[in-house]
Amino acid sequence: MSDECQSFEQFLGREIVVDLSSLYVIAGTLVGQDQHYLILENADVHDLRDTATTRELYVHEIGLHGLAANRSRALVSRTEVVSLSALDDIIH
């Protein structure tokens, strides 16, 4: 197994935060992937245009309080992903 696959595998089944190149942040449980999408369940799709909250503050808040899912399942385009981290790796 390649290092890339091993590093991705560590996130499966965990709550993650995905920073996108667009004005969205998505958090949820990573349940899979294919060549085009990350597959998240119990996801919180957050549009930063709808709030005065910064990306960093929003991520910090869900790290402290947990995420509030607004989608039972979400497909996230891999081409939009800037970073991916486990929710429990967020520094408070």
Side-chain angles (χ1 to χ4, degrees), residues 35-61:
Q35 72 183 55
H36 300 289
Y37 299 101
L38 300 177
I39 305 163
L40 279 71
E41 289 184 346
N42 300 316
D44 179 5
V45 178
H46 185 76
D47 184 345
L48 293 166
R49 295 171 296 184
D50 291 340
T51 180
T53 303
T54 65
R55 183 180 304 264
E56 291 77 15
L57 183 57
Y58 175 73
V59 170
H60 179 72
E61 290 294 314

Side-chain angles (χ1 to χ4, degrees), residues 41-88:
E41 289 184 346
N42 300 316
D44 179 5
V45 178
H46 185 76
D47 184 345
L48 293 166
R49 295 171 296 184
D50 291 340
T51 180
T53 303
T54 65
R55 183 180 304 264
E56 291 77 15
L57 183 57
Y58 175 73
V59 170
H60 179 72
E61 290 294 314
I62 62 173
L64 286 174
H65 305 293
L67 63 94
N70 55 25
R71 309 283 194 285
S72 59
R73 191 171 184 94
L75 299 177
V76 180
S77 175
R78 293 174 61 130
T79 61
E80 290 285 319
V81 174
V82 173
S83 73
L84 181 151
S85 57
L87 186 58
D88 57 8

Side-chain angles (χ1 to χ4, degrees), residues 15-51:
E15 288 185 329
I16 63 165
V17 176
V18 184
D19 288 298
L20 302 178
S21 58
S22 63
L23 292 174
Y24 286 88
V25 177
I26 301 178
T29 302
L30 182 64
V31 296
Q33 70 167 333
D34 64 21
Q35 72 183 55
H36 300 289
Y37 299 101
L38 300 177
I39 305 163
L40 279 71
E41 289 184 346
N42 300 316
D44 179 5
V45 178
H46 185 76
D47 184 345
L48 293 166
R49 295 171 296 184
D50 291 340
T51 180

